Amino acid sequence: MIPGGGQPNMQQLLQQAQKMQQDLAKAQEELAQTEVDGQAGGGLVQATVTGAGELRALRIDPKAVDPEDTETLADLIVAAVHAANENAQTLQQQKLGPLAQGLGGGGIPGLPF
């Protein structure tokens, strides 16, 4: 007869869960250090964010600066940051998606999926 009636080994399950937590923490750390870009206006405005969504840099081509039309520049900045954040979310899903599924598939609090 199999000890425990064929039930999963609790120690083994705990070890697997701990490894998944470590893998998740490592992936989150890598995301925080990885930078992704987004742009708007054909590259007139470029934003760089981390894989965790933190804005790191903003580059504005002088051609985009018109003192008479600051609204367009503001729109370009928002669009560039939005594009960079979309790229960061894609990166999060690529890196963390398989780990989140392994933890029950219900997502991880604080992450957008």
Side-chain angles (χ1 to χ4, degrees):
M1 190 165 197
I2 299 173
Q7 295 295 320
N9 180 331
M10 188 58 84
Q11 181 69 23
Q12 187 178 19
L13 288 175
L14 289 173
Q15 287 174 346
Q16 288 174 345
Q18 186 177 21
K19 183 184 182 323
M20 289 174 70
Q21 277 186 316
Q22 290 170 345
D23 291 347
L24 179 61
K26 181 181 177 188
Q28 288 175 321
E29 186 178 319
E30 288 174 6
L31 278 172
Q33 295 178 12
T34 303
E35 293 184 347
V36 293
D37 292 320
Q39 62 177 341
L44 290 176
V45 176
Q46 296 178 332
T48 300
V49 299
T50 66
E54 178 187 342
L55 182 63
R56 286 280 175 92
L58 187 62
R59 290 171 298 286
I60 302 172
D61 187 305
K63 293 180 220 162
V65 179
D66 178 357
E68 302 292 319
D69 185 15
T70 57
E71 287 181 26
T72 298
L73 178 57
D75 290 343
L76 290 173
I77 291 169
V78 169
V81 171
H82 180 74
N85 279 324
E86 283 182 348
N87 292 336
Q89 285 184 347
T90 299
L91 184 63
Q92 286 176 358
Q93 289 172 353
Q94 289 170 349
K95 277 213 176 274
L96 300 180
L99 293 172
Q101 290 173 359
L103 290 172
I108 298 169
L111 295 179
F113 53 94

